[in-house]
Amino acid sequence: MLVEAPEPKYVAPTLRDRIGRIWAPVLINGKGPFRLVLDTGASHSAIISRVADTLGVSAQTDPVLVRGVTGAAIVPAVHVDRMEVGDLLIEPSILPIVADVFGGAEGVLGREGLPDKRIFADFGRDKLVISRSHRERAPVGFSVVPLKITRGLLSTEVRVGSIRTLAVIDTGGQQTVGNLALREALMKHPPADAIGEDIIGVTLELQHGDTIAAPPIELGTLKLRQVRVTFADTYLFDHLKLNRQPTLMIGMDVLGSFDVLIIDYKMREMQVRTRGSHPQLTSSH
């Protein structure tokens, strides 16, 4: 992808990885850029060991506890003076060093610097903009999804079939994951077409889940069809105390299927434009 902003000084090259997650080109201590996965589901940024080696920094702080989707682990960490991409500036910061599980990216860019930012991702034109929010209203042709903050995460209420469900917006997730409370609300018996899959997180722990075609998901004014959801009793649902109410973590398998995705933290809303030819997306306008 290409990072753009209204002023040329913010332009830098980037890409989406092979599973559709957004790579942000981040300067760390003025070096790089390093390719970090833009992860709205991560409370804090992290890097792999190769980045620390390139920066010439060693573990100068106490180890830190990292919580991922599948588990928690104590990992080494380094101190950096500044991280920057577009209008986003984080200084200083302690960065955990995590396993290389990012499909070619070199870590994650978490949400610690995003509370007043606007993320603009144009998947059709391969552009990403991280800028200060000016409370811009959705352009013509966009659908608006109101957001709220739940346990520090961006979330919204959706319907999966007839089930009211909390949905967390997770740009760092490869796949959409549902908790067992949602599965139990949808079906008392597992369907015949369930496919077993393993989920792996930054702590390298594996958790097993079953991937199932979900009923239509109503997201704002959109109706998403034929979305396959991996249902699992993950560590993260338990840690966030989200294992009792029906909950989804909406990953890039869904978010990356939009033509344009805008997340405005200050306005607490997501603005999306669908691809007219995409068979899985329709609007209920």
Side-chain angles (χ1 to χ4, degrees):
M1 296 183 72
L2 173 70
V3 170
E4 282 194 349
E7 300 178 32
K9 65 180 180 178
Y10 296 136
V11 176
T14 185
L15 295 167
R16 270 194 293 169
D17 67 15
R18 60 183 173 80
I19 58 178
R21 292 176 300 190
I22 303 167
W23 283 357
V26 181
L27 293 173
I28 304 178
N29 287 353
K31 296 182 179 179
F34 300 99
R35 299 168 301 186
L36 305 188
V37 172
L38 179 64
D39 189 353
T40 57
S43 62
H44 200 78
S45 301
I47 56 175
I48 61 175
S49 59
R50 184 173 66 248
V51 174
D53 293 341
T54 301
L55 292 172
V57 294
S58 57
Q60 303 163 331
T61 68
D62 293 333
V64 297
L65 176 66
V66 170
R67 301 184 191 275
V69 173
T70 59
I74 301 292
V75 301
V78 296
H79 176 275
V80 299
D81 295 325
R82 59 193 287 133
M83 300 172 60
E84 52 191 315
V85 55
D87 281 353
L88 177 62
L89 174 64
I90 303 170
E91 57 178 1
S93 185
I94 302 296
L95 297 181
I97 299 176
V98 295
D100 186 355
V101 294
F102 302 108
E106 298 168 297
V108 296
L109 178 64
R111 63 180 185 269
E112 67 264 42
L114 297 176
D116 63 344
K117 299 299 186 293
R118 180 179 187 263
I119 298 167
F120 175 97
D122 185 333
F123 297 114
R125 297 171 60 201
D126 285 338
K127 292 182 181 179
L128 171 70
V129 182
I130 300 177
S131 60
R132 293 180 180 86
S133 169
H134 298 292
R135 299 186 178 274
E136 298 172 54
R137 298 186 64 179
V140 175
F142 280 66
S143 298
V144 175
V145 179
L147 300 175
K148 59 183 179 179
I149 303 296
T150 301
R151 313 287 197 274
L153 299 166
L154 288 175
S155 67
T156 189
E157 185 177 285
V158 302
R159 283 191 179 271
V160 183
S162 62
I163 307 302
R164 291 178 60 180
T165 302
L166 177 71
V168 173
I169 307 302
D170 183 15
T171 63
Q174 173 182 355
Q175 65 214 88
T176 296
V177 178
N179 66 359
L180 297 188
L182 176 58
R183 177 170 176 165
E184 291 170 5
L186 291 171
M187 57 197 79
K188 297 299 182 183
H189 304 285
D193 67 344
I195 299 174
E197 290 195 35
D198 288 326
I199 302 171
I200 186 170
V202 295
T203 61
L204 296 182
E205 294 183 58
L206 287 173
Q207 288 190 302
H208 183 76
D210 289 323
T211 300
I212 300 165
I217 300 174
E218 294 182 12
L219 176 67
T221 60
L222 300 174
K223 184 167 285 190
L224 284 62
R225 304 180 187 276
Q226 301 175 8
V227 175
R228 297 190 65 82
V229 175
T230 300
F231 290 96
D233 185 20
T234 68
Y235 166 86
L236 190 60
F237 284 134
D238 184 61
H239 170 67
L240 295 173
K241 296 180 169 43
L242 294 175
N243 48 3
R244 293 192 176 184
Q245 69 180 108
T247 304
L248 277 178
M249 302 282 288
I250 298 181
M252 287 304 296
D253 56 335
V254 171
L255 300 174
S257 67
F258 298 128
D259 185 37
V260 177
L261 170 68
I262 299 171
I263 298 175
D264 194 308
Y265 274 80
K266 187 175 286 188
M267 292 186 71
R268 299 278 177 91
E269 68 181 34
M270 184 168 67
Q271 305 166 4
V272 299
R273 187 177 71 198
T274 63
R275 295 173 184 161
S277 60
H278 198 292
Q280 296 185 2
L281 298 171
T282 60
S283 174
S284 60
H285 282 306

